[in-house]
Amino acid sequence: MDDAIRILLVEDLPTDAKLAQREISKDLKSCEFQVVETREGYLSALEKFQPDIIVSDYRLPQFDGLSALKLALERTPLTPLIMLTGSLNEDTAVSCMKAGASDYVIKEHIKRLGPAILRALEEKQVRIERQQAEMALRESEERFRSVYENATIGIYRTTPDGKILMANPAAVRMLGYESFDELAKQNLEDSRLQTVAQRVKIREELEKEGIAQGMEIVLYKKDGSPIYVRENARAIRDETGKIIYYDGTLEDITAAKLADERIRHEAARAATLLRIASRLNASLDLQESLIAICEETAKALDLPIVNIYLYNPEIDLFYPAMAVGMPEEEYRILPKFPPSVVENVNQNHSPVLIINASDIIKQLGITGIVERDYRSVIIGYIQVSDETIGVLWGASVSINREYSPDDVALLSGIADQAALAITNARLFTQQKQAEALYRTRSEELEALFTLSSRLREAQTPDEMIPILLNEMQRVVETDGGAVLLFDEESQKFTFTHATGNAAPEIGNSFPSHQGGSGRVLLSRQPFITPDYSKEPLRVETLRHITESGPMVIVPLQSENDFLGVFLASRLNKPDVKPVSENEIRLLSAMAEMAGNAIRRSRLFDDVQRHLRHTQALHDIQLTVASSFDLKVTLNVFLEHTLAQLEVDAAAVFMLDPHTLTLEFTAGRGFRTYNLSRTRSRLEEGYALRAALERKTICIPDLSQEAGDKVQSSFYVDEGFVSFFGVPFIAKGQVKGVLEVYSRTPLNPDNQWLAFLETLASQIAIAIDNLTLFKDLHSTNAQLTMAYDATIQGLSRALDLRDKETEGHTQRVADMTVRLARAFGMMNSELVHVRRGALLHDMGKMGIPDSILLKPGPLTEEEWAIMRLHPQYAYEMFSPIEYLRPALDIPYSHHEKWDGTGYPDGLKGDEIPLAARLFAVVDVWDALTSERPYRPAWSQEKALAYIREQAGKHFDPRAVEMFFSLLQLQDGIES
Ligand code: C2E
Ligand code: FE
Ligand code: FE
């Protein structure tokens, strides 16, 4: 049905309608009809039937043709309407045609209807097509217009002589004009829009080629600023070939161009920075880095003067550190300035500041700098994590200069690199210093360690001092060294040991108030002089040492015992080095160490001597007990006397109470054997005085005693220098005198005299024993008491050194004996337990003060030494026969029940019972006493600790018994 033509008939007479249909069908092959006669039917048909053409009766009973026409024009304007009229009426026809009917047909001429419809349809088709064409044209026009108006590309038409005929808004905008009209007033030949050269070039190109594509040109905007443009243009010619227009487009490529330029600049900046970075990387030296920074900044920014200021936190000022473009004398005298100036100047915290030089010079308050016409200054802040550590500034001289954003960025980049380089250089310097310090320190430590281990091999001060001198010479470069011992009695310093240029001074002495040594004695501080030969304090009587140059004298002391001084010197050579801080420190440390070692060896000597004495007494006792022959007893006795007192001869004289004469009984060490006969009154006099006055007579120098009298030939023959006479008294009666002689001057100390007297008392006992047949047992008991007194004295000495509360040893001894008794030990064993307890920490005699008295916890190395104290005790006492059974406690008191103790790591019952019991008591007493390394614990805390350690440190049974004992005695609640 598609191609069937739909025809709407508006007709009230069916016959007429039929007729019309018949006629129409003659001309139109396929058609469809609908007939309506009312307005409603007509409207509905227009809508639903959608006729291709309408044929309407002019006159209808309920409707009329003109109304139908009007409605049709309104609703479907393209649908033609043909009016059918009854009669020919010219007016009707005209009005119908005027009203818009396509045609009119008189019913009489109904045959015309078919052809009229065909024509009307044809006309309709033409109309439709025209309308479509118009619409297409309008649309395309609109599209062009929109493109023209809205394009971002500039579109123009100009004439070869430069007139602007057309320019779209984009072109107008691009060139910075308000409107086309304003732009149109310009002429392209005018150099305000573009250069003449460019215009000529474009014209030539278009003339020759007729087209120019992708030209990149520069145009100047209304405000004179340049824009970069890509232009496409075409020449339009008339029929004669003459160019009448240029049509073309403009594209603003300024942004891209600038971006391009920026990339190029940035690449250049990156290259500059890279070059600077590699130069800075090559050096870790601060000065070199600073030079590189200045030079590169000057080069990169083309600046005649560049200067770096660095912040020094110690003086809180920025100081001039480096410059190029001015001599060093000049930048060195540039003023320093405080950080507040930097902050003030840089209030906006930008990395770079550009400033007028006169402003900054005013602001920094710089005066008196070399006259120079500073102009534009650019300042970069050298910052490390927001702290300004320096200022990098450059200035133009004599000309004003504008700094581009690139310059600013470049300087800021250089400042960042400078920050890095300076930080690195400083770190490197610090590291080098730290390394150097570490090296010196470890060398010093090594020197001290070597000295300490070598000192340990030495037994006596005489052996130690050369070691000290030797080690000193090894570690500190010297030309001479000496030890000068101080003698309290004579108040003199004596060169006892010396090397190098000091060696000739050995044996020389001088009063203790003289020289650097005298100063050291007073101050107990090192004395240092850069040139001893010019030193006002030098001792003039010393001839060799006064040639010395740099010298240091350090005290040789231990705690408060001033032993002497220790001297190191260098000869005055042209390039002689002064004695450095480090060397002084090292020498002082060595001297202190040696001082301690000497003091310790003296202490140790005392102990050893005591022990030897005790052993001697023991031997004498054995002899006395086993021999009933007085002469044998006295010979054994005198042998010990010579050995222990280190004297040359000794004799025993018995006093005849009736004649008050002394009778020779026994002697040893004499060259002549006429003692019994050839005693002058003088010789006898001293001994007799001892007997009668009941006191020891000491004559250190026999020759002086003789005065102007002739010396006894006996003394001269024997070569005796010193004499000592001690009376021996038994049961209140003087029985005789023990005489002791020495062939070298003897200046004995109190200990020696005490032992001499003890020996004398032994003779009394022996004589008493023999003469009165005293009970052996009681003699034994007396002797034992004498030993034990010695032991107690020794242990007290240690208590004092250890700074323990007085009586610690006595207390633990008492407590241990009670505990041991509670465990059922017999009296004979308890004697050993008591001695062992008294001597338990005697091994600490061998531990240096620095460890024993250290106020804090011990290091691994110190512990290793501290743990040797049981072993030391063992070495000390094992040679003493009568102490051997007492060794369990000194040797094993630090063993622990669980096997974690020392020295042997014994476990449980392997640990001697006495040591197990003692451990509880020792720790209890140690904890409740103050120690150099910690304050005393409360009793509660100590008890809780001991209970907690049962089965770990302590034998649980020992702990249990210890608690019941405490409860029993002190009522302490456990
Ligand atoms: P000492 O001071 O006579 O202590 C004897 C024992 O009591 C110690 O043996 C330990 O078992 C116990 N003891 C003493 N104080 C404490 C304490 O504060 N806590 C605990 N848990 N136990 C304590 P040890 O540990 O074998 O030590 C032997 C010696 O080593 C000590 O004799 C002392 O002369 C020395 N020593 C120990 N620690 C230090 C320290 O930190 N600094 C110093 N300078 N010396 C120490
Ligand atoms: Fe101990
Ligand atoms: Fe102790």
Side-chain angles (χ1 to χ4, degrees):
M1 274 288 271
D2 265 350
D3 37 8
I5 294 164
R6 286 184 303 279
I7 301 167
L8 179 62
L9 288 174
V10 186
E11 182 60 74
D12 59 321
L13 295 173
T15 48
D16 282 3
K18 279 262 160 49
L19 186 68
Q21 285 180 28
R22 201 171 50 236
E23 278 309 313
I24 293 165
S25 299
K26 282 182 191 162
D27 292 304
L28 280 81
K29 278 190 208 95
S30 117
C31 41
E32 203 184 332
F33 296 96
Q34 181 154 358
V35 184
V36 294
E37 55 180 318
T38 61
R39 182 185 162 92
E40 290 72 36
Y42 179 70
L43 285 175
S44 134
L46 280 187
E47 199 161 312
K48 297 202 177 113
F49 182 58
Q50 294 198 346
D52 292 311
I53 187 162
I54 305 161
V55 178
S56 177
D57 202 353
Y58 185 72
R59 234 183 273 279
L60 291 144
Q62 302 170 40
F63 195 30
D64 71 290
L66 281 175
S67 298
L69 179 59
K70 204 171 157 216
L71 287 170
L73 285 174
E74 268 169 32
R75 313 222 163 171
T76 59
L78 285 178
T79 309
L81 186 143
I82 296 172
M83 202 67 85
L84 260 184
T85 59
S87 59
L88 178 67
N89 180 326
E90 199 74 24
D91 293 341
T92 313
V94 170
S95 63
C96 281
M97 294 309 281
K98 270 190 180 159
S102 299
D103 210 346
Y104 70 91
V105 176
I106 304 163
K107 283 191 179 166
E108 281 171 22
H109 296 155
I110 194 84
K111 282 188 178 10
R112 275 190 56 217
L113 186 57
I117 287 176
L118 282 175
R119 196 173 60 244
L121 285 174
E122 246 161 57
E123 272 173 21
K124 176 186 176 183
Q125 191 55 38
V126 170
R127 238 184 9 254
I128 288 170
E129 276 167 16
R130 193 172 61 226
Q131 204 181 38
Q132 280 172 349
E134 271 169 12
M135 253 163 64
L137 182 66
R138 225 182 10 256
E139 252 173 50
S140 105
E141 261 176 3
E142 220 134 77
R143 226 178 291 134
F144 171 74
R145 203 175 171 70
S146 155
V147 167
Y148 182 79
E149 296 286 336
N150 299 319
T152 50
I153 292 182
I155 302 170
Y156 67 82
R157 166 169 288 179
T158 60
T159 62
D161 57 1
K163 283 201 203 74
I164 300 168
L165 300 180
M166 252 169 63
N168 71 343
V172 173
R173 249 192 334 268
M174 225 178 264
L175 290 164
Y177 290 89
E178 301 294 324
S179 63
F180 169 70
D181 291 341
E182 193 188 5
L183 175 60
K185 290 187 190 120
Q186 309 297 322
N187 189 296
L188 285 168
E189 295 285 297
D190 183 348
S191 60
R192 273 187 59 186
L193 273 172
Q194 63 185 324
T195 59
V196 175
Q198 181 175 296
R199 178 64 184 170
V200 169
K201 201 173 145 223
I202 292 172
R203 249 199 281 123
E204 278 174 3
E205 179 96 6
L206 286 172
E207 204 80 50
K208 205 163 92 204
E209 306 288 337
I211 187 162
Q213 271 178 320
M215 281 183 297
E216 290 191 357
I217 59 168
V218 178
L219 296 176
Y220 295 93
K221 291 171 47 167
K222 185 181 162 192
D223 64 7
S225 63
I227 52 167
Y228 296 88
V229 172
R230 182 177 296 122
E231 179 166 24
N232 289 314
R234 172 191 295 277
I236 309 290
R237 299 169 196 267
D238 67 7
E239 314 83 63
T240 66
K242 184 172 159 256
I243 296 176
I244 43 174
Y245 310 131
Y246 295 151
D247 279 356
T249 59
L250 301 173
E251 197 183 335
D252 184 351
I253 53 167
T254 309
K257 252 317 206 239
L258 288 181
D260 224 48
E261 203 120 300
R262 188 159 323 119
I263 288 171
R264 263 211 314 283
H265 268 116
E266 248 149 45
R269 184 167 78 230
T272 308
L273 290 177
L274 191 69
R275 194 183 62 238
I276 297 175
S278 65
R279 208 176 143 188
L280 290 178
N281 273 346
S283 164
L284 278 168
D285 179 87
L286 184 61
Q287 275 326 87
E288 276 179 27
S289 299
L290 294 179
I291 293 173
I293 294 163
C294 288
E295 283 178 359
E296 293 295 341
T297 307
K299 192 152 91 189
L301 289 169
D302 191 22
L303 288 165
I305 286 187
V306 174
N307 195 338
I308 290 184
Y309 272 78
L310 287 182
Y311 177 62
N312 180 343
E314 270 163 40
I315 51 174
D316 194 29
L317 288 176
F318 281 84
Y319 66 95
M322 183 57 68
V324 295
M326 59 171 83
E328 181 164 344
E329 311 86 79
E330 184 180 333
Y331 79 77
R332 285 290 175 207
I333 57 156
L334 289 179
K336 300 181 177 70
F337 54 85
S340 57
V341 170
V342 174
E343 274 153 32
N344 275 343
V345 173
N346 189 22
Q347 263 151 356
N348 54 350
H349 296 285
S350 62
V352 171
L353 191 104
I354 302 164
I355 199 163
N356 185 298
S358 60
D359 283 357
I360 193 173
I361 288 171
K362 227 185 290 161
Q363 239 160 333
L364 298 184
I366 297 177
T367 51
I369 59 172
V370 173
E371 253 350 284
R372 219 188 265 277
D373 183 16
Y374 292 104
R375 293 281 178 86
S376 312
V377 173
I378 182 166
I379 301 178
Y381 295 91
I382 304 175
Q383 290 179 317
V384 175
S385 47
D386 278 352
E387 295 266 343
T388 302
I389 61 159
V391 179
L392 172 65
W393 70 268
S396 67
V397 175
S398 304
I399 49 163
N400 288 332
R401 152 110 188 238
E402 275 201 26
Y403 296 101
S404 70
D406 281 322
D407 294 338
V408 170
L410 187 54
L411 187 74
S412 154
I414 298 176
D416 286 346
Q417 295 221 0
L420 201 68
I422 292 167
T423 311
N424 280 345
R426 285 180 173 166
L427 281 180
F428 183 69
T429 314
Q430 277 171 12
Q431 190 191 334
K432 267 204 314 216
Q433 284 169 348
E435 273 171 11
L437 188 67
Y438 175 76
R439 235 184 350 262
T440 350
R441 283 288 143 84
S442 55
E443 277 166 16
E444 285 177 19
L445 273 181
E446 200 205 287
L448 289 177
F449 183 75
T450 315
L451 176 64
S452 110
S453 50
R454 292 213 44 210
L455 282 177
R456 210 161 304 163
E457 291 160 17
Q459 301 293 330
T460 65
D462 283 345
E463 287 170 25
M464 287 174 181
I465 287 169
I467 290 175
L468 172 64
L469 261 184
N470 232 321
E471 288 299 309
M472 179 201 87
Q473 207 114 24
R474 202 174 62 83
V475 297
V476 178
E477 222 178 279
T478 59
D479 297 308
V483 169
L484 289 82
L485 290 185
F486 170 66
D487 183 42
E488 187 123 26
E489 207 157 302
S490 63
Q491 292 287 310
K492 275 183 172 175
F493 281 109
T494 307
F495 282 82
T496 54
H497 302 77
T499 58
N501 73 318
E505 306 285 5
I506 288 184
N508 289 341
S509 54
F510 56 90
S512 65
H513 62 269
Q514 284 188 5
S517 309
R519 191 51 68 87
V520 173
L521 171 62
L522 280 180
S523 67
R524 304 286 167 102
Q525 295 296 322
F527 168 86
I528 306 127
T529 174
D531 188 352
Y532 190 72
S533 63
K534 300 204 178 70
E535 172 59 45
L537 281 178
R538 73 185 183 279
V539 182
E540 298 290 352
T541 53
L542 304 173
R543 281 202 325 285
H544 302 275
I545 197 78
T546 41
E547 289 160 10
S548 296
M551 182 187 289
V552 55
I553 303 177
V554 296
L556 196 55
Q557 64 184 355
S558 166
E559 311 219 329
N560 292 325
D561 286 352
F562 185 84
L563 305 170
V565 298
F566 172 45
L567 171 158
S569 72
R570 292 192 178 129
L571 284 176
N572 252 337
K573 281 174 240 155
D575 56 345
V576 66
K577 278 187 295 182
V579 187
S580 72
E581 287 283 329
N582 281 345
E583 287 170 329
I584 294 167
R585 201 180 49 246
L586 183 55
L587 289 176
S588 302
M590 291 175 89
E592 192 184 325
M593 183 175 276
N596 276 327
I598 291 169
R599 179 164 169 274
R600 194 164 60 251
S601 88
R602 285 181 178 172
L603 268 173
F604 207 76
D605 269 3
D606 289 352
V607 172
Q608 297 260 306
R609 192 139 50 110
H610 257 109
L611 293 175
R612 276 201 315 274
H613 291 174
T614 311
Q615 179 72 46
L617 288 173
H618 179 70
D619 290 351
I620 294 165
Q621 183 234 334
L622 280 180
T623 322
V624 170
S626 59
S627 160
F628 292 92
D629 181 336
L630 185 61
K631 287 240 190 255
V632 173
T633 305
L634 289 178
N635 273 324
V636 172
F637 172 84
L638 287 173
E639 203 176 300
H640 283 294
T641 303
L642 295 194
Q644 300 303 321
L645 293 177
E646 295 177 38
V647 290
D648 297 308
V652 175
F653 287 85
M654 301 294 266
L655 181 71
D656 183 333
H658 308 294
T659 59
L660 282 185
T661 52
L662 288 166
E663 199 175 304
F664 175 78
T665 316
R668 260 190 113 81
F670 295 96
R671 288 175 186 154
T672 53
Y673 290 98
N674 53 1
L675 274 176
S676 47
R677 274 163 277 143
T678 60
R679 290 271 282 194
S680 71
R681 294 195 68 78
L682 173 76
E683 289 147 15
E684 183 141 328
Y686 298 134
L688 210 51
R689 218 168 85 209
L692 297 180
E693 292 178 14
R694 292 184 169 230
K695 67 170 202 197
T696 306
I697 300 293
C698 305
I699 300 171
D701 191 345
L702 286 165
S703 63
Q704 289 218 333
E705 206 64 20
D708 20 280
K709 284 176 249 159
V710 191
Q711 255 226 60
S712 149
S713 61
F714 167 66
Y715 294 154
V716 176
D717 291 351
E718 286 284 347
F720 290 146
V721 179
S722 306
F723 165 84
F724 300 86
V726 198
F728 46 90
I729 301 163
K731 296 234 160 63
Q733 282 192 317
V734 177
K735 294 289 178 194
V737 175
L738 169 63
E739 295 186 354
V740 170
Y741 296 95
S742 164
R743 294 192 173 95
T744 50
L746 202 62
N747 240 331
D749 58 15
N750 289 337
Q751 260 195 42
W752 189 92
L753 286 172
F755 188 59
L756 177 64
E757 283 160 13
T758 310
L759 285 174
S761 72
Q762 293 301 305
I763 307 176
I765 292 167
I767 290 169
D768 211 34
N769 207 6
L770 289 170
T771 49
L772 301 171
F773 302 104
K774 268 278 169 190
D775 174 301
L776 256 181
H777 192 75
S778 89
T779 314
N780 257 333
Q782 274 181 354
L783 269 173
T784 309
M785 270 164 62
Y787 306 148
D788 285 351
T790 311
I791 291 172
Q792 292 209 356
L794 282 179
S795 68
R796 250 200 309 280
L798 181 76
D799 274 8
L800 286 176
R801 174 158 179 260
D802 202 358
K803 303 246 163 69
E804 294 188 18
T805 37
E806 172 87 51
H808 160 70
T809 315
Q810 193 66 48
R811 269 199 314 274
V812 294
D814 290 348
M815 187 68 155
T816 309
V817 168
R818 280 207 297 277
L819 198 55
R821 188 175 285 129
F823 266 82
M825 283 203 192
M826 315 235 284
N827 279 351
S828 56
E829 293 172 288
L830 292 178
V831 174
H832 301 305
V833 169
R834 168 175 294 279
R835 287 181 193 149
L838 285 172
L839 295 174
H840 75 277
D841 268 344
M842 280 305 283
K844 283 186 183 169
M845 278 293 193
I847 308 298
D849 286 356
S850 59
I851 298 178
L852 188 65
L853 305 179
K854 182 176 176 182
L858 304 179
T859 64
E860 245 343 281
E861 294 77 29
E862 290 167 340
W863 260 119
I865 294 170
M866 179 55 85
R867 286 204 200 95
L868 291 175
H869 79 272
Q871 178 66 31
Y872 284 171
Y874 185 84
E875 285 164 14
M876 235 185 259
F877 300 127
S878 55
I880 318 282
E881 221 172 80
Y882 96 105
L883 287 181
R884 223 166 280 148
L887 273 174
D888 279 351
I889 290 178
Y891 186 66
S892 299
H893 70 286
H894 284 300
E895 299 288 358
K896 292 188 180 177
W897 183 252
D898 62 6
T900 61
Y902 58 93
D904 290 334
L906 299 181
K907 203 173 185 160
D909 290 337
E910 290 167 8
I911 307 167
L913 176 61
R916 269 182 273 151
L917 302 182
F918 175 81
V920 181
V921 179
D922 185 38
V923 171
W924 155 254
D925 202 274
L927 289 177
T928 52
S929 309
E930 192 183 319
R931 282 288 189 270
Y933 56 92
R934 57 140 178 81
W937 288 16
S938 69
Q939 292 207 333
E940 295 72 49
K941 186 172 170 192
L943 288 174
Y945 177 78
I946 286 176
R947 188 183 296 289
E948 189 263 325
Q949 288 291 318
K952 295 181 197 162
H953 187 162
F954 307 120
D955 180 348
R957 285 182 305 141
V959 172
E960 208 175 294
M961 187 61 83
F962 175 76
F963 273 104
S964 12
L965 264 188
L966 273 189
Q967 238 170 347
L968 211 64
Q969 278 161 20
D970 309 330
I972 289 176
E973 287 298 317
S974 47

